[in-house]
């Protein structure tokens, strides 16, 4: 019985069988680039700025993602020891660079399916402020320091942690500190003026979806019989195909793009009933 997930049983039989044959996340990765039109996001940010509310691209995209996951909860699944689980919460792993140094820290943000775009922005702001403090190491920093300083025991500690993770035996304190145990990994590479990449999903932990945001770019698009160029934010998406079908992913990301075309939809909690993944 895992402390971080509950078994999903109401799936097509094929998805209970697939993890028996595709036993690793790196053996189950599908990758795609999703281009998000930039103009609706810029227009929304400018509108909010006039109202005295600061919004950033990352918060808007994360707010759209958590709303999509509320509608399609299979996005919040993971594979543990060849079984399909649903996360008991929704967490997002993200790296924060510490000012004045080359060091960074890795932690996660706790989101709720009922969060509005304002809630998401506040949580991101608070997360960044807390994790940029040089004198305030987070739980992961403390655990890593302990492991690195274990005399001659680092390999053994790694083996034990991997074994416990596979069999759902990790204590809650480690899971809460671990950025590898999350619903989503996201990295805004545009903030360091870098193109999007296809970030691997970790074999250790429970993260089934990784997203990177890259430098904006122009892509060709047909409009009224003519080819025009549209400015977009490219998202490099890597998914563990064992948590749901390709059609399910396609439907979810189409819905994500609908929310990002009208971010105003995210200003209030979802009006639909949020159902538990079973």
């Amino acid at each position: 019985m895992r402390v971080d997930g509950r078994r999903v049983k109401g799936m097509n039989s094929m998805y209970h069988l697939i993890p028996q044959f595709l036993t690793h996340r790196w053996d189950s990765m599908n990758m795609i680039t999703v281009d998000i039109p930039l103009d609706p996001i810029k227009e929304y940010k400018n509108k909010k700025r006039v109202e005295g509310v600061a919004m950033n691209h990352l918060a808007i995209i994360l707010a759209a993602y958590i709303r999509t996951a509320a509608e399609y909860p299979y996005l919040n699944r993971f594979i543990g020891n060849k079984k399909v689980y649903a996360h008991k919460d929704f967490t997002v792993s993200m790296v924060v660079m510490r000012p004045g140094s080359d060091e960074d820290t890795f932690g996660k943000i706790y989101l709720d399916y009922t969060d509005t775009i304002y809630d998401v922005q506040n949580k991101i702001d608070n997360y960044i402020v807390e994790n940029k403090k040089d004198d305030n190491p987070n739980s992961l920093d403390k655990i890593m320091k302990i492991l690195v300083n274990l005399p001659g025991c680092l390999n053994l500690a790694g083996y034990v942690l991997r074994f416990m993770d596979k069999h759902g035996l990790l204590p809650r304190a480690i899971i809460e500190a671990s950025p590898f145990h999350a619903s989503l990994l996201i990295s805004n590479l545009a903030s360091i003026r870098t193109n999007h990449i296809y970030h691997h999903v970790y074999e250790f932990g429970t993260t089934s979806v990784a997203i990177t945001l890259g430098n904006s770019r122009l892509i060709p698009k047909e409009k009224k019989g003519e080819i025009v160029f549209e400015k977009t934010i490219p998202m490099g998406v890597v998914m563990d195909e064992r948590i749901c079908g390709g059609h399910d992913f396609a439907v979810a990301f189409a819905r994500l793009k609908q929310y990002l075309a009208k971010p105003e939809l995210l200003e209030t909690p979802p009006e639909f009933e949020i159902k538990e993944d079973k």
Side-chain angles (χ1 to χ4, degrees), residues 45-152:
K45 285 178 58 181
N46 292 336
K47 175 185 173 183
K48 292 290 109 178
R49 187 179 298 115
V50 171
E51 297 174 4
V53 179
M55 286 280 174
N56 61 41
H57 289 65
L58 181 61
I60 295 171
I61 290 170
L62 266 186
Y65 191 92
I66 185 67
R67 186 62 53 89
T68 302
E71 196 167 351
Y72 302 104
Y74 49 73
L75 289 178
N76 201 20
R77 291 174 181 168
F78 66 93
I79 306 299
N81 200 19
K82 303 179 184 178
K83 300 178 181 66
V84 185
Y85 290 87
H87 281 279
K88 291 183 178 179
D89 53 21
F90 196 98
T91 54
V92 180
S93 295
M94 190 168 71
V95 172
V96 173
M97 293 295 298
R98 289 206 163 110
S101 75
D102 294 329
E103 294 184 0
D104 53 38
T105 187
F106 199 6
K108 56 189 179 185
I109 304 170
Y110 285 79
L111 300 180
D112 296 314
Y113 285 140
T114 56
D115 280 347
T116 67
I117 196 168
Y118 305 115
D119 297 324
V120 174
Q121 181 68 68
N122 287 335
K123 289 181 178 183
I124 291 175
D125 291 342
N126 292 335
Y127 169 81
I128 292 174
V129 168
E130 286 300 313
N131 283 278
K132 278 190 173 182
K133 295 178 181 177
D134 291 332
D135 59 347
N136 184 32
N138 63 25
S139 299
L140 177 66
D141 296 330
K142 296 174 183 176
I143 291 174
M144 288 193 300
K145 187 173 182 179
I146 292 171
L147 291 175
V148 169
N149 288 311
L150 285 174

Side-chain angles (χ1 to χ4, degrees), residues 194-209:
T194 303
N195 294 330
H196 69 288
I197 63 170
Y198 299 113
H199 194 293
H200 60 92
V201 284
Y202 302 104
E203 186 63 24
F204 177 73
T206 58
T207 307
S208 297
V209 181

